[in-house]
Amino acid sequence: MLLPLPTVNILFLKNKIRSKFCRFYVMQRPAKLLDIFVFPSILLHTLFVDIVDTLTWFRGGHGSRGIMVDFDGKPDSLFFSDGQRRIDFVLVYEDESKKITHKRSDRKKQKRKRQVYESNLINNGLQLEATRSVLDEKLIFVKVHAPWEVLCTYAEVLHIKLPLQPNDLKTRDSAFNWFSRLFRVDENIIKPEQEFFTAPFQKELLSNFYVQDKDTFFNPATRSRIVHFILSRVEYATKNNVKKFGINKLLDTGIYKAAFPLHDSSFRHLSTDPSCPSERYLLYREWAHPKNLFKLQPLDFIRKYYGEKIGIYFAWLGFYTNMLIMAAIVGVGCFLYGCLTKDNCTWSQEVCDPNIGGKIIMCPQCDKVCTYWNLTITCESSKKLCIFDSFGTLVFAVFMGIWVTLFLEFWKRRQAELEYEWDTVEYLEQEEQVRPEYEARCTHVVMNEITQQEEHVPYTACGKCMRMTFCASAVFFWILLIIASVIGIIVYRLSVFLAFSATLSQHISGTDAIRKYLTPQTATSVTASLISFVVIMVLNIIYEKVAILITDFELPRTQTDYENSLTTKMFLFQFVNYYSSCFYIAFFKGKFVGHPGNPVYWLGKYRNEECDPGGCLLELTTQLAIIVGGKAIWNNIQEVLLPWVKNLIGRYCAAARSEKVIPRWEHDYHLQPIGKLGLFYEYLEMVIQFGFVTLFVASFPLAPLLALINNMLEIRLDAWKLTTQFRRMVPQKAQDIGAWQPIMQGIAILAVVTNAMIIAFTSDMIPRLVYYWSFSVPPYGSHSSHTMKGYINSTLSVFNISDFKNASKPFSPWFVNQTCRYRDLRYPPGHQHQYEHNIYYWHVIAAKLAFIIVMEHVIYFVKFIISYLIPDVSQKTKSQVKREKYLTQKLLHENDLKIVKKTMGKIANKIIQGVDSTFRPKAE
């Protein structure tokens, strides 16, 4: 006997709801605090959707979720086919039935995992709609929409701050506001965002929040962030009682080909949808376009579209670039001072003088194959050295030690302002959630010392110690590997110098003009720098993968902890990788060479390198120029040119296949993914540059100017790259620049030491000052007044060629003189202490040590005073934060009282009056 149709419908619906409850409870059993909180609302919402879907299905429809629809022909649409539900995220997969590269069993497994994952997404309240690709029938785009109820639920879970009421605090315009207005974006094009008082969202206090329109209360960036949070935590399989979940793993295994939020329009033109604000087009036009090179960045608009993490990066980069203006001006001034005074450089004139330098024969700088050479060969390099090795260098080094402190202190103030303006003041304490990878490994139970309750952790204290030990050992091993590569470069320099010394002397005549520039030292330095650059780039590619594996094994708790740990590992590696060759040239080359009769050997075989008579400062400048310039070119090729070429090829192939109208999600799919490390390499590039600008600035005063020019281009290139070549990043919160802040503070402290030591040990400033004030006049000198005349002769020691050892005696004999000169401060042959360091040497050493101590203490003292006088948070920002907290608490409290009075009515008033009469003092 058949039941009537209404009875069938009701029974079917009852069974569906019962099975839904059991299945949802099994899959979402509240094992964690988040599950306990979200479970009731999501379950009710899921049951409600099931009821609607079931009834709709019996009416002959297809339901509201998980359906396949055709593209409606609207290329700029950001909504489902109904035109009402906004697309918050897009998942892309290849139809398993049309794959030909995998086994049938593998395709079935992938399909089953994907179907389970999408089913669980629906169970978590998300709505899905699938559309087949216009250009490639194998691709299917799954559009994801988060309804109002889901957004409210997870906004409370994530403690997202949302507006309560418009901000009524008055802001005073700066005295320089009229000047900065000339460089701002036109406010008629990009309108300033309205400021609000905000508070962490709570569903039960929804009436207190500033909800004018439910469709716009959560902006697109917040909606995408909430959906990505759900996507990262939904399960798709269980194997050996271990849950597998998260969109990242599905992307890694190839089940999904891409997952991304949508750009809101094309960057070339406005959207055809009149309701779309076309923010991407405005960002390209007013921010990324080269015409905006000298304009200020619309930081609030960037933050609104891309999120706080992108916004704080561009805010920091813009602030750093602006601070470089002052450093560049002073650096150019010091460089011009060196250019104007180089003609008065007495020691360079003596090197180039045929009657002085022309008569000085220098000893060979390597064993056997090297020959004697004339000092005038280094004439041109000595002239260049006068530009960089001048009194202006000392002034600039002291200035940069103070500048870096000003930069860091003022950035802290600016960062505090952005934290207030962008509602990230209490982000780390309130909003940041545990990483899903961390949650999946929480199998051990420990007692929380604060709450005295049990909680789940992924490892015990012993296990954590073992992980940290392993990770530290791995990082230390790779650092040793880099040091080994540096030693290999040094050995190359030592061995190839012999070949260049023999080859160049044979093929270049003494009168050839090329001989002035192409010396064995120059050829060795340039080729070694190029090889060093190649080694740096190769090791960088390998270590990136190693650092990620180490950090994944370490298993940090939050995303901020993960990024800070990875940043520290990568920077330690990059610090040694990029700076080791510079440290070698600045502080080791030419310092331990002995003398021609008793040279010092590396590994008992390779004779140590010597500096030119003018020192190694010019070679350090050459090394910096090659590494910084090569690094900038390489990064631009890697970050800009390659994505542009890939997108160009993709567009060409797509155009060749079809001229159909393409939807927005398919346009975005053919853009390049941003990569797992996100902004890491942008930060790394700038911090490495910051190190070159500060650590070795005493050798190259033009470094801030080159950095300024590079950064002005870098801002627009990064903006162009994000808006035109890459898919839209998932908006993320960020309170500050993370581990890069303490890294820069460490560089700033180290920079004082390195610059003081460069001036003391790498340049010839201290020996020249000692000669000028002490050894040019009696009792040590023969001049009647202080002068630099005779400096070259006093700094070149004499060596008797008969004292050469057989192992180092040159093949080519020298018959004119019986002596040659070498760069050192030693007694001449025939002296009772021959070839030992003379009194001049010990005076210079004492002066160098005294200079380092005095310079360090003076700069550190000034840095301390500046840090003390400039607070990290301005008084204005402190007042604004306090004012907002006060008004927010007052507003919520008053609204609660209004609700209580409205619901309780007269009873509440009587209770209040009764309490007042009870405690009111009796009249006498």
Side-chain angles (χ1 to χ4, degrees):
M1 180 178 177
L2 297 176
L3 294 175
L5 182 60
T7 307
V8 175
N9 291 349
I10 294 173
L11 292 176
F12 179 86
L13 185 60
K14 287 176 63 180
N15 292 332
K16 186 173 179 61
I17 292 173
R18 186 182 297 112
S19 64
K20 173 66 67 176
F21 180 88
C22 296
R23 179 160 53 90
F24 190 89
Y25 180 77
V26 171
M27 296 178 61
Q28 300 286 341
R29 57 185 183 275
K32 300 183 285 293
L33 179 61
L34 176 62
D35 296 330
I36 296 172
F37 185 78
V38 177
F39 177 76
S41 60
I42 295 297
L43 177 59
L44 292 175
H45 179 269
T46 305
L47 293 178
F48 174 74
V49 174
D50 276 334
I51 294 172
V52 174
D53 281 350
T54 305
L55 295 178
T56 305
W57 184 83
F58 277 110
R59 289 199 304 267
H62 297 286
S64 63
R65 4 159 263 178
I67 59 176
M68 178 75 75
V69 298
D70 295 328
F71 173 49
D72 57 8
K74 298 178 181 178
D76 291 332
S77 175
L78 302 176
F79 296 89
F80 278 20
S81 57
D82 58 12
Q84 301 296 322
R85 291 171 291 172
R86 184 181 182 90
I87 301 173
D88 298 316
F89 225 87
V90 175
L91 307 177
V92 186
Y93 70 90
E94 190 173 352
D95 193 345
E96 292 84 358
S97 62
K98 298 185 178 182
K99 284 185 178 180
I100 59 176
T101 57
H102 293 83
K103 295 180 180 179
R104 185 175 181 181
S105 58
D106 293 337
R107 294 200 300 268
K108 285 185 176 180
K109 289 181 180 179
Q110 289 188 348
K111 184 176 182 179
R112 184 165 57 251
K113 289 179 180 180
R114 180 182 56 77
Q115 289 176 338
V116 171
Y117 182 72
E118 291 178 0
S119 175
N120 289 341
L121 289 180
I122 295 172
N123 291 338
N124 277 269
L126 298 180
Q127 297 177 5
L128 310 181
E129 182 181 84
T131 301
R132 194 171 293 274
S133 170
V134 175
L135 299 177
D136 187 353
E137 292 186 353
K138 293 186 293 184
L139 292 180
I140 296 177
F141 295 86
V142 180
K143 294 162 283 184
V144 183
H145 169 76
W148 170 259
E149 187 68 24
V150 174
L151 293 174
C152 291
T153 300
Y154 280 94
E156 186 169 1
V157 171
L158 296 174
H159 301 282
I160 296 177
K161 287 188 174 182
L162 292 168
L164 288 170
Q165 71 172 32
N167 190 338
D168 58 357
L169 291 177
K170 295 181 180 180
T171 57
R172 290 180 291 180
D173 292 335
S174 171
F176 299 98
N177 194 42
W178 63 271
F179 180 73
S180 62
R181 191 179 292 114
L182 300 174
F183 301 95
R184 290 179 186 170
V185 176
D186 188 353
E187 294 184 356
N188 294 322
I189 299 175
I190 297 181
K191 297 181 180 180
E193 293 293 318
Q194 185 179 5
E195 295 184 1
F196 291 91
F197 293 125
T198 60
F201 183 77
Q202 298 180 37
K203 288 178 65 176
E204 62 270 17
L205 301 177
L206 180 62
S207 59
N208 295 339
F209 288 87
Y210 193 77
V211 184
Q212 289 187 318
D213 185 357
K214 288 186 177 181
D215 293 333
T216 60
F217 181 64
F218 295 97
N219 62 35
T222 304
R223 297 175 68 99
S224 298
R225 181 181 162 211
I226 291 174
V227 172
H228 184 262
F229 178 84
I230 300 173
L231 294 175
S232 300
R233 285 160 173 78
V234 168
E235 300 174 22
Y236 63 85
T238 302
K239 186 176 182 181
N240 299 328
N241 294 326
V242 177
K243 298 178 182 179
K244 296 184 177 181
F245 57 86
I247 187 62
N248 292 331
K249 290 185 178 180
L250 292 173
L251 290 171
D252 292 338
T253 55
I255 296 177
Y256 284 102
K257 297 179 71 67
F260 53 88
L262 286 179
H263 282 295
D264 69 340
S265 67
S266 170
F267 70 90
R268 294 187 178 90
H269 54 76
L270 292 169
S271 174
T272 56
D273 185 354
S275 63
C276 178
S278 300
E279 294 177 347
R280 184 190 184 194
Y281 168 75
L282 294 177
L283 281 171
Y284 173 75
R285 177 184 169 186
E286 301 297 327
W287 177 46
H289 198 277
K291 69 176 182 179
N292 305 308
L293 190 64
F294 298 102
K295 277 189 176 182
L296 296 176
Q297 302 181 84
L299 294 176
D300 291 332
F301 201 62
I302 297 169
R303 170 248 183 175
K304 176 185 176 184
Y305 189 77
Y306 286 110
E308 286 76 9
K309 179 168 284 189
I310 297 287
I312 198 73
Y313 164 73
F314 281 102
W316 172 80
L317 181 55
F319 186 84
Y320 170 48
T321 304
N322 291 336
M323 288 292 292
L324 279 173
I325 295 175
M326 180 171 57
I329 292 174
V330 178
V332 171
C334 293
F335 177 77
L336 294 177
Y337 171 81
C339 292
L340 294 175
T341 59
K342 71 174 183 177
D343 294 333
N344 300 325
C345 187
T346 306
W347 67 270
S348 177
Q349 293 174 356
E350 291 184 349
V351 171
C352 300
D353 191 344
N355 297 321
I356 302 177
K359 295 182 179 181
I360 296 179
I361 305 302
M362 302 296 293
C363 297
Q365 292 188 319
C366 66
D367 294 338
K368 294 186 177 181
V369 297
C370 293
T371 62
Y372 301 94
W373 51 284
N374 197 290
L375 184 61
T376 53
I377 293 176
T378 61
C379 176
E380 293 299 325
S381 62
S382 66
K383 291 180 180 178
K384 296 175 185 176
L385 192 60
C386 287
I387 299 175
F388 300 102
D389 194 0
S390 64
F391 180 74
T393 302
L394 172 60
V395 175
F396 189 55
V398 174
F399 167 79
M400 287 301 293
I402 299 173
W403 173 88
V404 70
T405 304
L406 292 173
F407 163 65
L408 293 175
E409 292 302 321
F410 280 117
W411 166 245
K412 290 179 184 178
R413 291 168 63 90
R414 175 59 177 153
Q415 189 170 257
E417 293 175 2
L418 292 175
E419 288 178 12
Y420 165 73
E421 295 172 3
W422 293 353
D423 296 321
T424 60
V425 175
E426 298 174 347
Y427 162 65
L428 293 179
E429 291 78 9
Q430 292 185 354
E431 294 186 41
E432 190 166 28
Q433 301 295 319
V434 176
R435 294 172 64 239
E437 294 83 359
Y438 181 92
E439 282 184 317
R441 300 291 185 88
C442 290
T443 57
H444 298 277
V445 179
V446 297
M447 185 69 67
N448 190 304
E449 296 180 355
I450 300 175
T451 62
Q452 293 299 312
Q453 295 180 354
E454 291 185 349
E455 63 178 15
H456 293 269
V457 294
Y459 36 64
T460 61
C462 180
K464 183 176 182 179
C465 182
M466 292 179 63
R467 285 174 180 265
M468 297 298 292
T469 303
F470 173 80
C471 294
S473 301
V475 173
F476 183 67
F477 167 78
W478 275 90
I479 291 177
L480 291 179
L481 184 63
I482 304 169
I483 295 175
S485 69
V486 173
I487 294 175
I489 297 294
I490 295 173
V491 172
Y492 164 82
R493 299 172 70 103
L494 300 177
S495 58
V496 83
F497 180 73
L498 300 174
F500 281 133
S501 299
T503 304
L504 294 178
S505 62
Q506 293 174 5
H507 293 85
I508 299 178
S509 63
T511 59
D512 196 334
I514 302 177
R515 188 179 177 85
K516 297 180 179 179
Y517 302 97
L518 193 57
T519 63
Q521 292 89 347
T522 304
T524 302
S525 176
V526 171
T527 56
S529 298
L530 292 174
I531 294 175
S532 177
F533 169 73
V534 173
V535 171
I536 284 172
M537 292 304 168
V538 172
L539 288 177
N540 179 38
I541 294 173
I542 299 174
Y543 184 72
E544 175 189 329
K545 303 182 184 301
V546 175
I548 293 175
L549 290 175
I550 295 173
T551 309
D552 289 341
F553 178 76
E554 188 179 329
L555 205 62
R557 185 173 183 272
T558 65
Q559 186 63 25
T560 299
D561 295 336
Y562 181 89
E563 292 175 358
N564 290 344
S565 178
L566 180 61
T567 297
T568 303
K569 293 180 180 65
M570 286 293 291
F571 183 77
L572 285 174
F573 173 85
Q574 300 288 357
F575 183 88
V576 180
N577 203 7
Y578 279 108
Y579 298 138
S580 55
S581 58
C582 295
F583 273 97
Y584 165 73
I585 295 173
F587 305 123
F588 295 98
K589 183 182 176 182
K591 304 300 184 295
F592 313 100
V593 295
H595 61 85
N598 186 25
V600 177
Y601 290 90
W602 266 74
L603 307 176
K605 180 179 180 181
Y606 299 103
R607 181 170 168 176
N608 274 1
E609 287 185 280
E610 296 184 31
C611 294
D612 284 334
C616 289
L617 193 65
L618 192 60
E619 185 175 347
L620 178 59
T621 304
T622 304
Q623 179 81 359
L624 288 172
I626 290 176
I627 292 181
V628 175
K631 178 174 170 295
I633 295 173
W634 174 265
N635 286 336
N636 288 331
I637 292 174
Q638 192 175 22
E639 297 178 8
V640 178
L641 187 60
L642 289 181
W644 178 76
V645 171
K646 289 180 181 178
N647 289 333
L648 187 65
I649 295 173
R651 287 195 298 269
Y652 177 78
C653 296
R657 287 200 302 262
S658 173
E659 295 181 357
K660 299 177 182 178
V661 177
I662 301 175
R664 169 54 41 204
W665 49 85
E666 195 154 355
H667 273 295
D668 287 6
Y669 170 71
H670 290 292
L671 296 176
Q672 297 301 307
I674 196 65
K676 291 184 178 181
L677 295 182
L679 292 172
F680 173 80
Y681 276 108
E682 276 69 25
Y683 272 116
L684 178 64
E685 179 184 356
M686 290 297 103
V687 173
I688 292 293
Q689 180 205 88
F690 176 78
F692 282 120
V693 168
T694 54
L695 290 174
F696 306 102
V697 74
S699 64
F700 194 38
L702 292 180
L705 176 64
L706 298 181
L708 174 63
I709 296 172
N710 177 79
N711 289 5
M712 293 176 66
L713 298 174
E714 182 75 21
I715 291 174
R716 304 307 162 182
L717 285 176
D718 285 346
W720 175 83
K721 180 176 62 177
L722 284 177
T723 54
T724 66
Q725 304 301 309
F726 284 88
R727 297 170 189 159
R728 188 174 182 178
M729 289 183 64
V730 178
Q732 297 179 5
K733 280 276 189 178
Q735 189 176 22
D736 48 36
I737 61 175
W740 299 110
Q741 181 80 22
I743 286 174
M744 288 192 296
Q745 290 174 342
I747 291 176
I749 294 173
L750 182 60
V752 178
V753 180
T754 56
N755 284 297
M757 294 182 68
I758 286 173
I759 294 174
F761 292 106
T762 309
S763 78
D764 262 6
M765 183 175 298
I766 301 302
R768 289 200 299 270
L769 291 175
V770 172
Y771 177 82
Y772 180 83
W773 291 107
S774 299
F775 284 81
S776 63
V777 295
Y780 302 109
S782 58
H783 298 281
S784 58
S785 61
H786 298 288
T787 180
M788 285 300 297
K789 292 181 180 180
Y791 170 73
I792 289 296
N793 187 63
S794 67
T795 56
L796 296 178
S797 300
V798 179
F799 179 76
N800 192 326
I801 62 175
S802 62
D803 294 331
F804 272 122
K805 294 181 179 179
N806 292 330
S808 57
K809 183 180 294 186
F811 291 137
S812 58
W814 190 257
F815 300 101
V816 179
N817 294 331
Q818 292 298 316
T819 60
C820 61
R821 309 295 291 272
Y822 62 98
R823 179 182 166 82
D824 208 341
L825 303 174
R826 295 177 183 269
Y827 288 114
H831 194 278
Q832 60 177 350
H833 300 293
Q834 67 174 3
Y835 302 138
E836 294 181 6
H837 290 298
N838 57 25
I839 190 66
Y840 187 10
Y841 171 84
W842 298 111
H843 276 72
V844 169
I845 290 295
K848 287 180 176 182
L849 296 177
F851 171 81
I852 292 174
I853 294 172
V854 171
M855 181 176 174
E856 285 182 0
H857 282 69
V858 169
I859 295 179
Y860 282 140
F861 178 74
V862 174
K863 287 166 67 72
F864 173 78
I865 296 298
I866 292 174
S867 302
Y868 178 78
L869 294 178
I870 303 176
D872 293 347
V873 183
S874 65
Q875 188 61 42
K876 174 185 174 182
T877 304
K878 289 181 180 179
S879 301
Q880 289 176 331
V881 171
K882 291 179 180 179
R883 173 69 175 166
E884 179 176 358
K885 286 184 177 180
Y886 167 75
L887 292 178
T888 301
Q889 294 175 357
K890 181 180 178 181
L891 178 64
L892 293 175
H893 180 67
E894 289 179 350
N895 287 339
D896 289 342
L897 286 179
K898 289 179 182 179
I899 293 174
V900 171
K901 288 183 179 180
K902 184 177 180 180
T903 54
M904 298 298 292
K906 296 181 181 180
I907 299 176
N909 292 330
K910 289 181 179 179
I911 292 175
I912 295 173
Q913 292 175 0
V915 171
D916 290 342
S917 62
T918 302
F919 291 97
R920 186 179 299 122
K922 296 181 179 180
E924 295 180 359

